[in-house]
Amino acid sequence: MELKRIPDPPITTDLVEAIRAFPVEREVIHCGQPFHVSPFDFYADCPACRSRIKVRALSAVQEVEDVFDAVFEWLNQPGAEASMRRRQQEIKADADET
């Protein structure tokens, strides 16, 4: 059986480790007050002054967040979420065995 594949881009160990270590929230300090936002948010509202502030870069330089965005876009396809959930269960089962 031949699997249909797209060419593999270079994926470094550093990239994989950065994804594994990626935080589930980002601390922002504005008006001297810390608060937390999603690491995927581009903007946040300061709870102290209610200003809308930029918390993520918009540039031509690729960031780890852009990898997540590509995966999130992929997950919008029919059937992708079910595949993801199945793989998550496999990963959890493997971790429970060790």
Side-chain angles (χ1 to χ4, degrees):
M1 176 174 82
E2 187 177 328
L3 293 177
K4 195 173 176 182
R5 292 183 55 114
I6 59 170
D8 290 329
I11 299 171
T12 66
T13 302
D14 289 343
L15 174 60
V16 173
E17 290 306 315
I19 292 169
R20 282 193 177 117
F22 200 75
V24 295
E25 62 183 12
R26 175 175 287 151
E27 184 177 68
V28 177
I29 300 174
H30 193 262
C31 296
Q33 180 177 347
F35 60 100
H36 294 95
V37 300
S38 165
F40 306 114
D41 289 348
F42 281 96
Y43 297 95
D45 297 320
C46 174
C49 71
R50 304 287 185 228
S51 293
R52 189 149 181 83
I53 58 173
K54 189 170 144 185
V55 293
R56 185 171 158 193
L58 294 169
S59 67
V61 176
Q62 297 291 302
E63 299 176 315
V64 173
E65 291 90 334
D66 298 318
V67 175
F68 281 96
D69 283 346
V71 172
F72 296 155
E73 287 178 40
W74 178 83
L75 284 169
N76 284 328
Q77 298 178 84
E81 189 172 349
S83 294
M84 176 199 66
R85 296 274 181 234
R86 196 168 39 254
R87 182 62 185 137
Q88 282 180 313
Q89 290 170 350
E90 292 168 354
I91 291 169
K92 184 177 181 334
D94 288 347
D96 289 346
E97 289 178 6
T98 58

